[in-house]
């Protein structure tokens, strides 16, 4: 794993945005894998700046998001579809229809998972996947477990994740209990991965991810087996 240390959150966000923009300039038809959460907000902001300054275009880019809550439609302010539109898609030149997220309100979630996997495959897989990491080591919503799911699937969110995400909702009771997420196999098949980690509270999990035993108990640790991962972080290890 390559490791890029940046002095603070803003510099981490800039470094990630520059790396994404470089990939898109190299391959304007890149297929991106995109995260949500508080960590990538700065990166999206800088990517919008780069777009507004005419330095990068997303007109030919396609994207797939990592995950979505089950039961929230795209208009719900806490859905990841809404987050992506609000923070990124509405501010750049990506074409409607060029970006996709799992549909959390699909009537048959298993059919939806299959649709998502087939579409990713049809598009040739993900060129650049950007990841955040949960305090418990989850990537996407692949929670610590005794095994790893390969493909897009529905998960029961852990108590830790529900608690961590309650800050975005009026109360913990409103946090959905299930989500659809790309599997570990989808993520590992990406040609290139950026893992974006910010904040001292993630020091322990970053250490375990990079240098600990590879285990489904720390889902992000599987990234040690990927040949092109760059960790961009403001945590000095
Ligand atoms: P955060 O979430 O960026 O809000 O900390 C990251 C994640 O859970 O993947």
């Amino acid at each position: 794993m390559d490791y890029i240390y940046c002095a603070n959150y803003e510099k981490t966000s800039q470094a990630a945005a520059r790396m994404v923009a470089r990939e898109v300039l190299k391959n304007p038809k890149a297929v991106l894998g995109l995260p949500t959460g508080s960590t990538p907000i700065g990166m999206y902001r800088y990517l919008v700046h780069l777009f507004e300054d005419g330095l990068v275009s997303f007109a030919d880019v396609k994207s797939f998001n990592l995950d979505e809550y089950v039961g929230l439609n795209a208009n719900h302010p806490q859905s990841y579809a809404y987050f992506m539109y609000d923070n990124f898609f509405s501010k750049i030149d990506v074409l409607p229809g060029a970006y996709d997220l799992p549909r959390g309100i699909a009537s048959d979630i298993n059919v939806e998972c299959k649709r998502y996997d087939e579409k990713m495959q049809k598009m040739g897989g993900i060129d650049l996947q950007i990841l955040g990491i949960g305090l418990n080591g989850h990537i996407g919503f692949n929670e610590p477990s005794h095994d790893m799911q390969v493909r897009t699937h529905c998960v029961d969110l852990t108590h830790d994740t529900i608690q961590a995400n309650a800050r975005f909702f009026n109360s913990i009771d409103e946090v959905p209990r299930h989500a659809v997420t790309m599997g570990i196999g989808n993520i590992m098949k990406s040609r290139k991965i950026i893992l974006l980690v910010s904040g001292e509270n993630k020091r322990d999990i970053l250490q375990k991810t990079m240098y600990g035993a590879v285990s489904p108990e720390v889902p992000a640790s599987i990234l040690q087996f990927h040949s092109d991962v760059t960790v961009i972080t403001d945590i000095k290890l």
Side-chain angles (χ1 to χ4, degrees), residues 37-40 132-134 138 167 202:
S38 24
T39 311
I133 186 172
H138 72 202
R167 68 191 195 276
K202 299 232 171 120

Side-chain angles (χ1 to χ4, degrees), residues 154-195:
C154 184
V155 287
D156 300 336
L157 299 179
T158 60
H159 180 68
D160 290 350
T161 297
I162 291 166
Q163 210 161 33
N165 290 2
R167 68 191 195 276
F168 300 113
F169 292 81
N170 292 326
S171 84
I172 195 162
D173 296 334
E174 285 183 18
V175 185
R177 271 28 186 181
H178 307 281
V180 177
T181 181
M182 279 187 203
I184 293 291
N186 300 109
I187 293 170
M188 289 296 280
K189 267 207 275 184
S190 314
R191 291 173 193 93
K192 187 179 182 66
I193 296 176
I194 295 174
L195 177 64

Side-chain angles (χ1 to χ4, degrees), residues 3-25:
Y3 165 85
I4 298 177
Y5 167 74
C6 302
N8 53 42
Y9 174 73
E10 288 304 315
K11 292 207 158 50
T12 303
S13 303
Q14 282 173 15
R18 278 197 217 106
M19 193 174 271
V20 174
R22 258 200 312 275
E23 288 303 311
V24 173
L25 288 171

